[in-house]
Amino acid sequence: MSGAPFTIAIDGPAAAGKGTISKGVASHFEFAHLDTGLLYRAVGRRTLEGFGALEAAQALTAEVLEQGDLRTAEIAQAASKVAVIPEVRAALVDFQRAFARRAGGAVLDGRDIGTVICPNADVKLFVTASAEVRAERRFLELSAKGADVTRDQVLADVRERDARDAERSTAPMKPADDAVLLDTTDLSIEAALAKAFEVINTKLPATR
Ligand code: DC
């Protein structure tokens, strides 16, 4: 495989399967993977601890993303709230773009990768699924970790976050014009991955 940069942007709403698809793609093609939601979650966690969102974004380091469990429902909401602030988003751009250009290929998943962070990405996927199916997946994930949540709460949370993420004025969640849509509502993980591989294989240079 050549070491040239090759960027794959995977966007979509919460629990659509972005994370699973991104990890599967990264492992299959031996690319590095960045879950950009973790950046916003790390900033959101700092605000829950009483710090300012912008200061937290400016001070963010890669190590912080590994510390503690960032994938809680409370931190998800805090992340979605700090993600509305244009200065917070601006403070996180360089880190994401540097990651995207690393040698050997990179997969970034989030909400605005194909539209704002990497508008020239080699492959763009927008992964969706119905709100009900996404909420059920997130409910099972959170319950497996022992979280005390109900299906109704998780569905309400997913809907609230979708609305905030899609309606904000800076870098709203939306498919890039040249993104391939992948609806995972009725797809198994294997079938969703097979579709993603198919799209990526058509764009990979023959020399890789
Ligand atoms: O992907 P996630 O659920 O971990 O993301 C948490 C929140 O972070 C999400 O509700 C909105 C925000 N986010 C964003 O605005 N832009 C991204 N590229 C990634 C996440």
Side-chain angles (χ1 to χ4, degrees), residues 11 113-116 119 124-126 174-181:
D11 290 303
I113 308 303
T115 49
V116 174
K124 297 180 188 177
L125 292 176
F126 193 85
K174 65 169 182 206
D177 291 339
D178 51 351
V180 175
L181 296 186

Side-chain angles (χ1 to χ4, degrees), residues 10-15 18 35-41 70-71 75-84 89 96 109-113 117 138 161-162 164-165 168 170-171 173:
I10 303 187
D11 290 303
K18 291 187 311 283
D35 170 357
T36 65
L38 288 181
L39 305 176
Y40 294 92
R41 284 173 182 258
L70 286 167
R71 292 191 172 82
I75 293 178
Q77 284 293 351
S80 170
K81 287 178 190 160
V82 301
V84 170
R89 306 198 68 84
Q96 296 174 82
D109 74 277
R111 303 291 187 291
D112 63 338
I113 308 303
I117 302 298
R138 192 44 56 91
R161 214 140 64 85
D162 280 358
R164 199 187 296 114
D165 295 346
R168 67 179 176 228
T170 305
M173 166 178 71

Side-chain angles (χ1 to χ4, degrees), residues 4-10 31 100-102 104-108 113-114 118-125 178-180 199-205 208:
F6 186 90
T7 309
I8 301 178
I10 303 187
F31 289 174
R101 283 193 301 263
R102 61 167 52 204
V107 184
L108 286 83
I113 308 303
C118 305
N120 298 320
D122 299 280
V123 180
K124 297 180 188 177
L125 292 176
D178 51 351
V180 175
V199 175
I200 295 163
N201 276 322
T202 63
K203 308 271 176 142
L204 271 181
R208 281 192 97 90

